[in-house]
C-alpha cells in the first residue's frame, strides 16, 4: 500500500478528509520527512516546536532528535490520530491551539526550559500565516536557533530574495534572520498532492531588531504601489510631505528615486531608526495610520499551493 493510501485510510478510519482551508497536505514520504528534520540541525538538549504536526510525519523524527517536542495543531479532529501515531514517543506534548495565539515563552518554561534553552522550530504551514507566524516566533522571548519551513516554491523564493527582488514577504522574514532555500519538493511527496512544487526554507535568526513596527510601516508603504519611487510611496502611505521624505531618505543615504524592492535589510533598519529618531515613530503618531497594521500578514499572492479537495 502506498504511503498516500495509508494516510487516506488513517484519516478515513476516523471519518476525516484533508481540509483545504487549513492547508492540509500531509507529507507522505518518510525519507523526505527525515531529511527536513535533519536540516534543523537539532542537538539532543534542544526543545523542538512543531507548528501544524498534522498526523505526525515530521514529529516522530523530531522527537528522536531533541529532548522535548511541543506540537501545536489547530485541528482538534486530528488530535486523536496524532496521539495514536505518537504513542511511542514519550517526549512529545501535543497542544490543540492556533499557533498564532500561543505564548511560546510559557510553553518552553512548561517544558522545563528557559529563555536560554536552544529551540528549533519546524512547520509546514498554509502560506497565508507564514509571515505572521515567523514574526510571532522570532519576537517571542525564546532562544530560537533555526526555523525550518516547508512552503510553496514561489513563496520560498520570495522569502529568500535578494535586493532587486525584495517584497514585503522578504522583508518580513529577513528582518529576523538569514533565509535560505534548501530543498525543492515535488507534489508527489504529499497527500493530497498540491498543484505546485514546494520547498524547504531555513531561517537562522540574527540578533533582535529595533523598531520593527515602524520598519514594517515603512515597508508596507514602500511596497504598496509597485514600481513607484520611495519618495512617492512613503509620502502617500505615511502622509509625509515629499521634502520630508527626501530628507529622511537622504539622512540614511537612500536615493529617493529608488524603489522598495531594491533596498537591503540594513537599509530598511537604518531607515526605521532615522524615522523614529525624527519623531515619526508610532509613539508619536496621533492619526490611525498604524492602528490595524501591525500584523504584517502580507502578502503572498493567493495561490493554489497546499490546495486539497475538502
Ligand atoms: N506537518 C504535517 C506534515 O508534514 O504532514 C502536516 C502539514 S499540513 C501542510 C499543515 C498542518 O498545519 C495541518 O495539520 C493543519 O491543520 C495545521 N495548521 C494550519 N493552520 C494552523 C494554525 N494556525 N495553527 C496550528 N496548526 C495549523
Amino acid at each position: 500500500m502506498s504511503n498516500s493510501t495509508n494516510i487516506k485510510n488513517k484519516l478515513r478510519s476516523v471519518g476525516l478528509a484533508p481540509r483545504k482551508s487549513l492547508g492540509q497536505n500531509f507529507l507522505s514520504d518518510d525519507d523526505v520527512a527525515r531529511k527536513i528534520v535533519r536540516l534543523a540541525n537539532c542537538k539532543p538538549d534542544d526543545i523542538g516546536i512543531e507548528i501544524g504536526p498534522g498526523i505526525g510525519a515530521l514529529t516522530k523524527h523530531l522527537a528522536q532528535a531533541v529532548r522535548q517536542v511541543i506540537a501545536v495543531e489547530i485541528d482538534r479532529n486530528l488530535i486523536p490520530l496524532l496521539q495514536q501515531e505518537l504513542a511511542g514517543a514519550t517526549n512529545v506534548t501535543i497542544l490543540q491551539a492556533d499557533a498564532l495565539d500561543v505564548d511560546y515563552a510559557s510553553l518552553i518554561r512548561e517544558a522545563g526550559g528557559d529563555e536560554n534553552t536552544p529551540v528549533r522550530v519546524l512547520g509546514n504551514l498554509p502560506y497565508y500565516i507564514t509571515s505572521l507566524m515567523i514574526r510571532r516566533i522570532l519576537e517571542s522571548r525564546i532562544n530560537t536557533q533555526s526555523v525550518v519551513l516547508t512552503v510553496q516554491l514561489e513563496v520560498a523564493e520570495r522569502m529568500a530574495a535578494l535586493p532587486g527582488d525584495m517584497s514585503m514577504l522578504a522583508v518580513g522574514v529577513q528582518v529576523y534572520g538569514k533565509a535560505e532555500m534548501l530543498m525543492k519538493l515535488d507534489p508527489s511527496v504529499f497527500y493530497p498532492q498540491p498543484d505546485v512544487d514546494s520547498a524547504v526554507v531555513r531561517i537562522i535568526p540574527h540578533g533582535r531588531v529595533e523598531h520593527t513596527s515602524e520598519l514594517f510601516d515603512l515597508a508596507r508603504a514602500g511596497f504598496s504601489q509597485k514600481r513607484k519611487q520611495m519618495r512617492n510611496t512613503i509620502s502617500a502611505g505615511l502622509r509625509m510631505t515629499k521634502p520630508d521624505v527626501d530628507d529622511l531618505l537622504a539622512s540614511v543615504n537612500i536615493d529617493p528615486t529608488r524603489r522598495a524592492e531594491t533596498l537591503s535589510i540594513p537599509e530598511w533598519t537604518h531607515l526605521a531608526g532615522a524615522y523614529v529618531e525624527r519623531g515619526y515613530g508610532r509613539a508619536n503618531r496621533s492619526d490611525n495610520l498604524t492602528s490595524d497594521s501591525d500584523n504584517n500578514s502580507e502578502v503572498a499572492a493567493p495561490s493554489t499551493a497546499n490546495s486539497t479537495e475538502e
Side-chain angles (χ1 to χ4, degrees):
M1 195 193 302
S2 79
N3 284 341
S4 293
T5 313
N6 202 4
I7 295 173
K8 189 174 176 181
N9 288 344
K10 277 181 192 165
L11 291 167
R12 274 208 185 143
S13 71
V14 289
L16 298 177
R19 292 173 67 182
K20 182 178 178 177
S21 59
L22 294 177
Q24 290 182 348
N25 299 86
F26 301 104
L27 202 51
S28 58
D29 186 318
D30 203 42
D31 286 338
V32 172
R34 207 174 289 119
K35 277 186 195 155
I36 293 174
V37 171
R38 220 177 286 141
L39 293 175
N41 292 330
C42 298
K43 308 279 181 303
D45 280 343
D46 296 347
I47 291 184
I49 294 179
E50 189 182 354
I51 313 294
I55 52 173
L58 297 171
T59 329
K60 52 188 176 215
H61 297 294
L62 183 60
Q64 287 172 7
V66 296
R67 78 160 130 120
Q68 184 71 35
V69 175
I70 303 160
V72 186
E73 172 57 56
I74 198 170
D75 187 352
R76 65 177 66 249
N77 296 325
L78 285 182
I79 303 291
L81 207 48
L82 185 58
Q83 283 166 335
Q84 197 179 307
E85 288 296 309
L86 298 171
T90 53
N91 61 340
V92 180
T93 304
I94 298 169
L95 179 68
Q96 189 274 313
D98 183 337
L100 292 173
D101 295 338
V102 165
D103 177 347
Y104 290 96
S106 303
L107 279 190
I108 295 296
R109 278 195 300 277
E110 282 161 25
D114 60 29
E115 64 207 26
N116 298 315
T117 307
V119 175
R120 308 278 164 178
V121 179
L122 249 85
N124 178 352
L125 302 172
Y127 73 90
Y128 51 84
I129 64 163
T130 303
S131 165
L132 189 50
M133 195 60 236
I134 290 169
R135 188 169 182 192
R136 287 275 185 280
I137 291 279
L138 295 179
E139 288 201 345
S140 299
R141 300 225 161 254
I142 61 174
N143 182 16
T144 306
Q145 300 291 302
S146 59
V147 179
V148 172
L149 298 177
T150 303
V151 291
Q152 66 190 79
L153 178 61
E154 179 232 335
V155 173
E157 286 168 345
R158 294 179 60 212
M159 281 176 152
L162 297 172
D165 278 322
M166 297 294 277
S167 62
M168 190 63 216
L169 179 64
V171 172
V173 171
Q174 295 179 29
V175 153
Y176 296 107
K178 180 173 181 287
E180 284 174 282
M181 197 174 90
L182 297 178
M183 183 161 73
K184 288 190 190 171
L185 300 177
D186 191 81
S188 62
V189 303
F190 296 99
Y191 170 77
Q193 294 192 17
D195 300 332
V196 293
D197 288 342
S198 302
V200 181
V201 179
R202 182 172 60 200
I203 302 159
I204 305 290
H206 41 55
R208 285 192 89 74
V209 180
E210 298 285 325
H211 313 308
T212 46
S213 294
E214 285 84 0
L215 190 155
F216 289 137
D217 289 341
L218 285 156
R220 259 187 298 269
F223 287 109
S224 62
Q225 299 177 72
K226 273 205 144 185
R227 285 179 242 299
K228 289 230 168 142
Q229 299 176 354
M230 288 285 281
R231 165 191 286 147
N232 297 319
T233 54
I234 300 289
S235 164
L238 295 175
R239 294 187 200 150
M240 291 170 66
T241 66
K242 286 187 188 170
D244 281 350
V245 176
D246 286 352
D247 205 38
L248 171 70
L249 292 168
S251 75
V252 285
N253 296 320
I254 296 173
D255 180 337
T257 65
R258 283 176 62 188
R259 294 174 173 81
E261 63 262 31
T262 69
L263 266 65
S264 66
I265 295 298
E267 286 178 317
W268 282 113
T269 48
H270 291 148
L271 180 59
Y275 181 75
V276 172
E277 228 167 68
R278 282 159 188 252
Y280 295 116
R282 286 187 167 211
N284 296 317
R285 293 201 82 108
S286 55
D287 55 35
N288 64 0
L289 272 177
T290 56
S291 57
D292 66 349
S293 58
D294 206 26
N295 65 12
N296 184 32
S297 63
E298 199 283 4
V299 212
S303 109
T304 51
N306 287 342
S307 69
T308 66
E309 296 308 314
E310 198 147 21

